[in-house]
Amino acid sequence: MPETSEKKTIFSGIQPTGVFTLGNYIGAIRNWGPLQDEYNCIYSIVDMHAITVRQEPAKLRQNTLQAYALLLACGIDPKRSIAFIQSHNPNHAELSWILSCSTQFGELSRMTQFKAKSQQHADDINAGLFTYPVLMAADILAYNADLVPIGADQKQHLELARNIAGRFNQKYGDFFTVPEPFIPKAGARVMSLQDPAKKMSKSDENPNACIFILDDKDTIIRKFKRAVTDSDAEVCYREGKDGINNLMTIYSVMTGKSLDEITSEFSGKGYGDFKLAVGEAVADHLEPVRTEFSKLVKDKDYLKECYTAGAEAAGRITRKTLSKVYRKVGFVDAR
Ligand code: TYM
């Protein structure tokens, strides 16, 4: 990727806390590949974010490598984008410290994800969990990213990153690009298959609530067959039909069909036929990802070559940002 060009810059990240879900895929990663032609894209497996909740070290290492292979399997081309592992570029953590001095305690306290995770992990409400959004702001601002493709649940964090950038610019003079969120119109919030009032999440205790993108076809179809819906039998998108609305959104994204087209396709048919069709569409869509992943994950040398080159390219950009930031805040030049 050329480091100086007129193209706008995209940054996004994903945590390596297990196999990506259909929510991660539809809300975020699916959109990352197609952006590679038009933008300078930088994508990261954010392992430093992952340790804000307890991780088993050996498992985290394995999950991080697996997540990197999955990223490539989902169409991120390490020759066209910068794809790297966050901890390989220490500049994120360094910038995070500086930015934390332009972030208010009160605004971090208002983060809904912090409140939710504090409840989920009540025995480990560590400072990293609290300052997590500052590290996320550093991820983005270190590259002066213009756009950040994310699902709806990250919107509040992005808003905070914008505020931090604005505050820094006010204190020290215009410097950071204030990033815009890039949230898909359909599928920004894929819901749990077992409780459609909750978002689909890796950490759901019910394995039927969540589709993992490496699930095999039978598993995917079985989970969709068990999806919680409602007691009428009309496939149409309407308030109060959260389960069906979720399945229709998923089917629409997978097939490119509009909600009206889906309603006509299933008029007169029952939910059973519809759920089967959704399951098949998802499984067929994900099949090439699974195939590509199984090839890539075996090739550890290739993966290493890619993530090493990615971290070098990322570091070249962020070192420049960081040295300008150090100068702006008044640190003495090291040499
Ligand atoms: P993470 O790892 O939780 O999720 C990765 C991406 O998937 C999206 N997502 C969803 N979209 C729709 N429906 C769902 N059910 C669903 N679940 C997850 C998320 O919105 C996200 O876009 N803090 C971030 C990672 C991060 C980051 C960044 C993102 C760290 N630094 C800088 C953007 C820019 C996170 O935990 O995402």
Side-chain angles (χ1 to χ4, degrees):
M1 184 184 103
E3 275 167 35
T4 48
S5 75
E6 295 307 309
K7 287 182 181 175
K8 288 194 166 181
T9 299
I10 295 246
F11 182 93
S12 202
I14 183 161
Q15 295 197 59
T17 42
V19 175
F20 304 158
T21 68
L22 187 63
N24 295 137
Y25 183 77
I26 290 183
I29 304 179
R30 161 183 76 101
N31 307 309
W32 295 0
L35 294 167
Q36 295 176 110
D37 293 324
E38 237 184 288
Y39 297 91
N40 290 326
C41 292
I42 304 156
Y43 297 123
S44 185
I45 302 299
V46 292
D47 51 351
M48 296 173 77
H49 280 89
I51 60 164
T52 55
V53 303
R54 251 184 228 109
Q55 302 288 339
E56 214 243 286
K59 189 83 191 141
L60 177 63
R61 196 167 292 119
Q62 190 190 339
N63 280 340
T64 302
L65 292 170
Q66 185 192 54
Y68 190 84
L70 262 179
L71 187 70
L72 304 196
C74 288
I76 306 310
D77 174 357
K79 295 213 167 56
R80 284 190 294 153
S81 295
I82 294 179
F84 72 107
I85 296 170
Q86 186 187 29
S87 62
H88 292 179
N89 182 1
N91 297 157
H92 291 229
E94 292 170 275
L95 182 59
S96 176
W97 175 255
I98 309 278
L99 296 180
S100 72
C101 301
S102 287
T103 309
Q104 300 302 304
F105 181 87
E107 53 191 351
L108 289 176
S109 312
R110 285 193 289 277
M111 295 292 112
T112 53
Q113 190 170 299
F114 171 68
K115 290 185 205 162
K117 288 204 173 171
S118 304
Q119 274 178 1
Q120 270 167 31
H121 306 276
D123 60 336
D124 186 21
I125 308 176
N126 61 76
L129 193 62
F130 188 64
T131 56
Y132 174 117
V134 187
L135 180 58
M136 179 162 160
D139 297 339
I140 299 164
L141 302 184
Y143 301 89
N144 276 305
D146 300 282
L147 283 176
V148 183
I150 42 173
D153 64 327
Q154 294 300 317
K155 191 165 179 255
Q156 194 187 31
H157 287 161
L158 204 271
E159 207 46 58
L160 180 68
R162 288 168 54 83
N163 290 340
I164 296 174
R167 201 168 300 131
F168 185 96
N169 289 349
Q170 231 171 19
K171 266 205 236 174
Y172 299 109
D174 253 5
F175 178 68
F176 285 122
T177 304
V178 179
E180 295 288 337
F182 190 113
I183 297 175
K185 285 201 181 73
R189 195 169 167 82
V190 176
M191 308 310 276
S192 152
L193 298 186
Q194 288 298 309
D195 177 358
K198 273 189 356 198
K199 79 165 187 181
M200 182 181 282
S201 160
K202 281 177 203 146
S203 55
D204 204 306
E205 274 159 25
N206 184 342
N208 290 320
C210 180
I211 303 287
F212 295 100
I213 66 172
L214 295 177
D215 281 347
D216 61 34
K217 187 165 188 167
D218 288 349
T219 307
I220 293 176
I221 289 175
R222 182 168 37 79
K223 288 182 181 175
F224 275 108
K225 277 188 180 161
R226 289 183 185 168
V228 169
T229 48
D230 52 57
S231 53
D232 58 53
E234 205 190 343
V235 177
C236 71
Y237 198 99
R238 206 170 47 218
E239 209 182 316
K241 287 173 74 76
D242 294 351
I244 287 294
N245 294 349
N246 189 37
L247 297 187
M248 284 182 78
T249 304
I250 294 172
Y251 190 62
S252 167
V253 170
M254 293 288 115
T255 59
K257 293 175 185 166
S258 71
L259 298 175
D260 286 344
E261 283 168 336
I262 300 170
T263 300
S264 346
E265 184 179 347
F266 292 96
S267 105
K269 295 184 185 157
Y271 283 172
D273 289 338
F274 176 52
K275 287 176 174 181
L276 179 64
V278 183
E280 281 181 340
V282 169
D284 292 347
H285 186 99
L286 293 177
E287 184 59 39
V289 174
R290 253 176 17 112
T291 311
E292 190 57 21
F293 172 79
S294 59
K295 269 194 275 169
L296 281 165
V297 79
K298 288 187 211 118
D299 200 344
K300 298 222 161 34
D301 290 342
Y302 173 69
L303 293 175
K304 188 168 185 184
E305 200 182 292
C306 295
Y307 62 69
T308 308
E312 276 164 15
R316 274 197 295 277
I317 299 173
T318 55
R319 271 195 298 280
K320 285 188 201 147
T321 310
L322 201 61
S323 71
K324 288 183 192 155
V325 166
Y326 274 23
R327 182 157 305 173
K328 280 209 165 271
V329 302
F331 293 165
V332 173
D333 280 348
R335 59 192 124 119

